[in-house]
């Protein structure tokens, strides 16, 4: 049934709010309010009113420089809540377990939760130390390989909205060259996009490093990240690209299984 054929709703404001959220979630980047109004065939005044309420509640964010609207932190949190249940954790666990068996390193699956990443699966390798990235743990996304992989796959305007000032940044260790401002984060994410995978070395836990790859949805939006963590002194940096390729294959398989595509 098309929008034109749709039976009139008894709660039009609620329905139109959901339609706006659905439209924003279907696009790769933010949209102008006029575009939303035209696409959904709604009065502009109504769209601006609904967007204002949704912005106050955190479900959309207004990108002032671009005069566009994108999904807000509350929307990401809803997405993460769904992902914690089904299908990411259930489908991801056996894939991570198989990866751990092959490489002998601990692997985990994380989703974006506001400015943090939330770990929803951890498969620990035999005789490897326990990590802070246990299930249910949240860590600042700019510090972790998982978070950086997800942030690099988001539109830059969304990342900027998540990190509006230096107060949004934090650190855990005394690792050199910490990311403590947006310009540094942006440059780092550019490198992640070029490489196709993210890294972290000693910024979460001294002596431990990670590589991670984002898990995209059918529109290319990052819904999660697969990462492996290892003792930095045991895995030289020249081996990280090969390790990242293994992680990338798992992320691709997981993406395909979630969204109904067959994998090899």
């Amino acid at each position: 049934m098309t929008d034109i054929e749709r039976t009139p709703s008894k709660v039009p404001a609620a329905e139109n709010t959901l339609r706006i959220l659905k439209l924003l979630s279907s696009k790769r980047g933010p949209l102008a309010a006029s575009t939303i109004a035209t696409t959904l065939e709604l009065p502009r005044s109504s769209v601006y009113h609904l967007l204002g309420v949704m912005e106050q509640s955190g479900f959309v964010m207004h990108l002032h420089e671009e005069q566009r609207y994108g999904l807000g932190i509350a929307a990401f949190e809803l997405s993460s809540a769904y992902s914690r249940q089904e299908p990411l954790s259930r489908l991801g666990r056996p894939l991570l377990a198989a990866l751990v068996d092959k490489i002998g390193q601990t692997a985990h699956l994380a989703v974006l939760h506001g400015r943090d990443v939330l770990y929803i699966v951890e498969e620990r390798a035999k005789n490897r130390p326990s990590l802070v990235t246990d299930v249910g743990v949240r860590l600042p996304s700019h510090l972790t390989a998982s978070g950086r992989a997800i942030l690099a796959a988001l539109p830059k305007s969304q990342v900027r909205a998540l990190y509006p000032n230096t107060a949004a940044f934090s650190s855990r260790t005394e690792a050199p060259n910490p990311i403590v401002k947006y310009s540094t984060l942006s440059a780092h994410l550019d490198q992640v996009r070029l490489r196709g995978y993210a890294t972290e070395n000693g910024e979460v836990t001294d002596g431990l490093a990670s590589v991670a790859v984002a898990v995209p949805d059918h529109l290319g939006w990052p819904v999660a990240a697969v990462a492996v963590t290892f003792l930095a002194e045991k895995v030289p940096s020249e081996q990280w690209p090969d390790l990242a390729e293994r992680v990338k294959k798992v992320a691709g398989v997981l993406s395909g299984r979630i969204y109904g595509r067959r994998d090899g």
Side-chain angles (χ1 to χ4, degrees), residues 188-248:
H188 185 92
L189 296 181
D190 285 341
Q191 295 177 15
V192 173
R193 295 182 190 99
L194 287 173
R195 283 196 308 260
Y197 65 92
T199 64
E200 170 272 316
N201 190 355
E203 292 165 86
V204 175
T205 303
D206 289 330
L208 295 179
S210 300
V211 298
V213 176
V215 178
D217 66 9
H218 59 295
L219 295 170
W221 195 268
V223 295
V226 177
V228 293
T229 298
F230 44 87
L231 290 169
E233 63 180 12
K234 299 292 185 181
V235 183
S237 58
E238 56 265 26
Q239 294 181 16
W240 292 10
D242 290 337
L243 194 57
E245 282 301 313
R246 291 176 175 264
V247 176
K248 188 178 297 184

Side-chain angles (χ1 to χ4, degrees), residues 30 50 63-65 72 152 155-156 158 197 199 205 231 236 241 251 254 259:
L50 292 174
L63 308 173
H64 295 276
E65 294 80 3
K156 290 186 177 182
Q158 295 283 92
Y197 65 92
T199 64
T205 303
L231 290 169
L254 178 55
Y259 296 102

Side-chain angles (χ1 to χ4, degrees), residues 22-208:
K22 186 175 181 179
L23 176 63
L24 290 174
S25 68
S26 71
K27 301 301 180 181
R28 188 65 178 85
L31 299 175
S34 58
T35 301
I36 296 172
T38 300
T39 303
L40 299 180
E41 299 181 350
L42 294 173
R44 289 194 184 190
S45 58
S46 297
V47 169
Y48 278 110
H49 175 73
L50 292 174
L51 288 171
V53 174
M54 294 160 70
E55 183 181 8
Q56 291 176 2
S57 301
F59 284 93
V60 301
M61 59 175 65
H62 185 210
L63 308 173
H64 295 276
E65 294 80 3
E66 301 181 33
Q67 289 300 300
R68 293 171 180 261
Y69 290 84
L71 292 176
I73 289 176
F76 282 120
E77 289 176 343
L78 277 180
S79 174
S80 298
Y82 170 76
S83 300
R84 290 198 297 274
Q85 300 173 39
E86 300 290 349
L88 281 175
S89 58
R90 176 171 291 185
L91 293 178
R93 188 174 300 280
L95 294 176
L96 264 62
L99 176 64
V100 170
D101 288 342
K102 290 179 181 178
I103 66 175
Q105 306 291 352
T106 297
H108 38 259
L109 183 68
V111 296
L112 193 66
H113 193 274
R115 273 197 297 266
D116 296 338
V117 284
L118 174 69
Y119 292 89
I120 61 174
V121 176
E122 181 182 77
E123 288 292 324
R124 191 185 307 173
K126 186 177 181 181
N127 299 322
R128 291 295 186 270
S130 59
L131 306 176
V132 297
T133 52
D134 200 359
V135 173
V137 170
R138 289 172 52 167
L139 290 174
S141 59
H142 67 281
L143 297 180
T144 69
S146 296
R148 292 168 180 177
I150 295 173
L151 292 175
L154 289 173
K156 290 186 177 182
S157 56
Q158 295 283 92
V159 178
R160 184 56 170 149
L162 288 171
Y163 291 90
N165 50 49
T166 55
F169 294 88
S170 61
S171 60
R172 286 176 53 92
T173 68
E174 298 298 322
N177 303 315
I179 295 177
V180 294
K181 57 183 180 179
Y182 177 75
S183 60
T184 307
L185 175 62
S186 181
H188 185 92
L189 296 181
D190 285 341
Q191 295 177 15
V192 173
R193 295 182 190 99
L194 287 173
R195 283 196 308 260
Y197 65 92
T199 64
E200 170 272 316
N201 190 355
E203 292 165 86
V204 175
T205 303
D206 289 330
L208 295 179

